[in-house]
Amino acid sequence: MIIVMEKNVNQELIEQVTIKLGERHFQVHLSQGVERTIIGAVGNRTQEDLDLFETLAGVERVVPIVQPFKLASREFKQETVIKVKGCQLGGGTLTVIAGPCAVEGMEKYLEVARLVKASGAAMLRGGAFKPRTSPYSFQGMELEGLKILAEASRQTGLPVVTEVMDPRHMEMVALYADILQVGARNMQNYFLLRELGKIGKPVMLKRGPAATIEEWIMAAEYIISSGNPEVIMCERGIRSFETYTRNTLDLSAVPIIKHLTHLPVVVDPSHGTGKWRLVEPMSLAAVGAGCDGLMIEVHQNPTEAWSDGPQSLTPDRFQALMNNLGQMTAALGKKLEGGDKANG
Ligand code: PEP
Ligand code: MN
């Protein structure tokens, strides 16, 4: 249940409510807004609890949540806005995250980072740990890759997003990255999700290739209930009978997640389609559907890329996409995040 406190209620009354919740074995999650405090109480709730908490001093109302997800739900919070290194994700802007599938070396990475920044990307991406279908494929540069990402972030001033695959690497990845990505294949790795609840950095949670919307939100609920409220949802396509595209990009997920949760939504049309030609039209469609961000794979020379070349844009094509996104966001009255840093 959600306990909505009266406007500008004092701290003492909030404490009284949380103590009572503790006595009744509820897990307490506070959301303190400018005027109002909302208390998320997760546990086995009875009608008696609803009645009791409504009578406590300072409580305006008690709202039962019937959905299985509580802390991710819109009842609990209006909107989550992520802020890293002066860059915002969520809250009405469009944030473009760009870079190669994998980090392939210092010089190559720094070059592509400068190029995507010049085109208006607000954040950088690049895998140092790669979840590959074949154990014989390139698995990522690991620690060396993380150091390259951190150096690119230092030189460009842009935050970096990178994947963490194993809880044993979490502290190390968090040392170098600004946002930790959970890859699609790990969406239901509950041990990893719980560990990410303890890290003080935002987590971008990619949708599993066969996950329903509810399973995906429940995975976010694992991270939030473990202590980390900064979760970003990333739609990257799901498995269907269609084989023309690598995955089927489910853009209906965007307004659904925005309706059901308070979390920002990023769309990844690169993995979502597997084809560079489809990246621009699906990016524009994703913005039309109301996403908060896009994650786009860009490589200087896609035919030579160590992974995912066929879905990677060249820097020129990325620039053309950014121009169109500029026009689209302007038409929608949205701010394109980071565009002002492009020439900085
Ligand atoms: C990625 O973004 O680097 C990636 C591997 O994507 P996904 O987990 O969606 O397949
Ligand atoms: Mn990739």
Side-chain angles (χ1 to χ4, degrees), residues 238-249:
I238 49 176
R239 269 289 158 87
S240 77
F241 57 81
E242 182 56 70
T243 53
Y244 184 81
T245 44
R246 182 176 178 182
N247 291 291
T248 296
L249 188 64

Side-chain angles (χ1 to χ4, degrees), residues 100-102 125 130 132 206 246 268 270-271 297 307-309 311-312:
C101 179
R125 66 147 287 144
K130 295 304 303 174
R132 305 305 300 280
K206 296 193 99 178
R246 182 176 178 182
D268 171 354
S270 307
H271 294 91
E297 286 187 341
S307 57
D308 289 351
Q311 67 194 34
S312 299

Side-chain angles (χ1 to χ4, degrees), residues 96 115-116 118-121 276 279-281 283-284 294 296 298 313-328 336:
V96 178
L115 289 168
V116 296
S119 297
W276 71 263
V279 169
E280 177 166 327
S283 296
L284 297 173
L294 291 166
I296 313 282
V298 181
L313 295 184
T314 59
D316 284 352
R317 290 189 178 122
F318 179 67
Q319 174 71 64
L321 166 65
M322 290 304 293
N323 294 344
N324 285 335
L325 287 174
Q327 287 189 31
M328 185 140 178
L336 191 56

Side-chain angles (χ1 to χ4, degrees), residues 186-205:
N186 261 326
M187 189 206 85
Q188 286 179 313
N189 182 340
Y190 299 121
F191 192 76
L192 177 65
L193 302 179
R194 278 200 194 285
E195 288 298 305
L196 286 164
K198 299 178 203 152
I199 206 92
K201 295 220 164 168
V203 174
M204 188 165 81
L205 178 66

Side-chain angles (χ1 to χ4, degrees), residues 209-225:
T212 63
I213 299 236
E214 190 171 295
E215 286 164 342
W216 183 22
I217 302 174
M218 289 311 285
E221 189 81 10
Y222 261 89
I223 303 171
I224 304 171
S225 66

